[in-house]
């Protein structure tokens, strides 16, 4: 296993995207002893607040807070993401370097075009990374992740989460990681897929996380979607009370 290898990898368009949508899940996996990685596709240079170098330092602090082992940046153009051949090649290289078993991607629908394109680009690169004859040797041996999870947080599409991760024990860690992005978020009323309600952004994240937690009868949660059906071994061990 190389130093860059991880078990769980989150891929998203902008620095701070993964903290908002799946930071608790990443922190929980890291605390459970798994190696966790993040690939940010862009440097966030189009952000209204803060410049790219400030955001780089913030992203590094946030990764440390979450216990993430490796955070890479694909240096694609913010607000110009494209699911084209050069971009797929870059991402295939990073996936082969990190060799994840499970990958978290943005939901395929998003407010920001980069979120939608990052989802499709991530899925396609995960597939192509496993083709031995696709740019052989680029990034190392061919490797295809086993499982793709779509982060569903804050989306309002008529899609039920396939499952929700209980992040109650790591919720404060998630919030601490999000607060690392002070240049983006201090005083902000909206971010990423979160629409403004007039409330403070941090309060909005807490309220939304509490809602997802309530779906599994827990304090805080993060929702995910998979198109494929999940397998259950023993129906007597199923959680979440029905009535
Ligand atoms: Zn974003």
């Amino acid at each position: 296993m190389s130093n860059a290898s991880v078990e769980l990898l989150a891929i998203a368009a902008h620095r701070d995207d993964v903290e908002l949508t799946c930071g608790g899940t990443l922190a929980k996996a890291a605390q459970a002893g798994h190696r966790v990685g993040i690939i940010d596709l862009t440097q966030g240079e189009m952000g209204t607040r803060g410049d790219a170098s400030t955001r780089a330092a913030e992203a590094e602090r946030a990764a440390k807070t979450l216990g993430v082992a490796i955070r890479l940046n694909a240096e694609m153009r913010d607000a110009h993401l494209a699911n084209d051949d050069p971009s797929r090649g870059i991402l295939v290289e990073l996936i082969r370097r990190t060799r994840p078993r499970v990958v978290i991607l943005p939901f395929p629908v998003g407010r920001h075009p980069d979120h939608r394109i990052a989802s499709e680009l991530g899925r396609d690169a995960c597939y192509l990374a496993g083709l031995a004859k696709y740019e052989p040797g680029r990034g190392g041996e061919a490797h295809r992740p086993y499982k793709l999870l779509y982060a569903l947080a804050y989306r309002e599409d008529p899609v039920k989460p396939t499952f929700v991760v209980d992040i109650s024990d790591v919720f404060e860690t998630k919030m601490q990681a999000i607060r690392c992005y002070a240049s983006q978020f201090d005083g902000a009323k909206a971010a990423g897929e979160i629409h403004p309600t007039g409330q403070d952004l941090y309060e909005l994240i807490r309220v939304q996380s509490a809602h997802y937690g309530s779906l599994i009868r827990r304090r805080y949660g993060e929702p995910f979607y998979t198109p494929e059906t999940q397998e259950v071994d023993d129906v007597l061990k199923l959680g979440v009370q029905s009535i």
Side-chain angles (χ1 to χ4, degrees):
M1 196 168 85
S2 86
N3 270 351
S5 289
V6 296
E7 293 164 274
L8 174 63
L9 177 69
I11 300 174
H14 313 113
R15 289 167 166 151
D16 69 35
D17 283 356
V18 303
E19 285 81 359
L20 292 169
T21 62
C22 61
T25 302
L26 300 183
K28 186 171 184 170
Q31 284 185 15
H34 299 297
R35 268 179 70 86
V36 177
I38 297 170
I39 295 176
D40 304 307
L41 296 178
T42 74
Q43 302 185 70
E45 66 272 24
M46 297 295 274
T48 319
R49 304 144 153 251
D51 55 20
S53 71
T54 305
R55 296 190 82 178
E58 291 174 336
E60 207 45 52
R61 277 206 306 280
K64 280 207 179 74
T65 303
L66 295 174
V68 165
I70 181 166
R71 184 166 207 156
L72 303 172
N73 195 287
E75 299 185 1
M76 295 173 188
R77 285 180 70 206
D78 191 1
H80 292 270
L81 267 193
N83 181 15
D84 55 14
D85 203 47
S87 301
R88 288 195 289 266
I90 291 167
L91 195 49
V92 162
E93 180 176 332
L94 296 177
I95 290 165
R96 286 178 180 164
R97 269 174 60 195
T98 48
R99 313 189 76 71
R101 175 176 167 82
V102 178
V103 173
I104 298 175
L105 296 171
F107 192 67
V109 184
R111 284 175 75 206
H112 195 309
D114 279 355
H115 294 175
R116 181 183 77 244
I117 294 161
S119 181
E120 187 185 77
L121 170 61
R123 195 216 75 96
D124 290 355
C126 284
Y127 185 85
L128 294 171
L131 288 182
K133 289 187 177 168
Y134 182 89
E135 307 209 17
R138 184 169 183 182
E141 293 287 298
H143 172 83
R144 183 170 297 149
Y146 177 75
K147 193 85 186 157
L148 305 183
L149 311 177
Y150 293 95
L152 191 57
Y154 319 116
R155 293 297 314 159
E156 295 166 3
D157 317 78
V159 175
K160 267 178 97 76
T162 308
F163 62 89
V164 171
V165 175
D166 175 9
I167 61 161
S168 306
D169 291 345
V170 289
F171 179 71
E172 292 310 325
T173 304
K174 173 189 172 90
M175 292 309 293
Q176 208 184 323
I178 291 170
R179 285 199 176 88
C180 290
Y181 295 92
S183 78
Q184 296 300 298
F185 295 150
D186 277 5
K189 301 289 182 204
E193 298 292 329
I194 307 173
H195 289 270
T197 62
Q199 286 163 290
D200 175 74
L201 175 69
Y202 300 124
E203 175 62 9
L204 264 180
I205 294 166
R206 196 191 64 75
V207 167
Q208 297 255 15
S209 303
H211 165 68
Y212 297 122
S214 75
L215 299 179
I216 54 165
R217 328 298 183 226
R218 305 285 180 197
R219 186 94 194 265
Y220 296 112
E222 283 173 344
F224 294 88
Y225 171 75
T226 66
E228 68 277 11
T229 303
Q230 298 304 305
E231 176 188 8
V232 169
D233 254 348
D234 183 347
V235 292
L236 291 167
K237 287 186 179 153
L238 278 169
V240 188
Q241 189 174 348
S242 299
I243 52 176

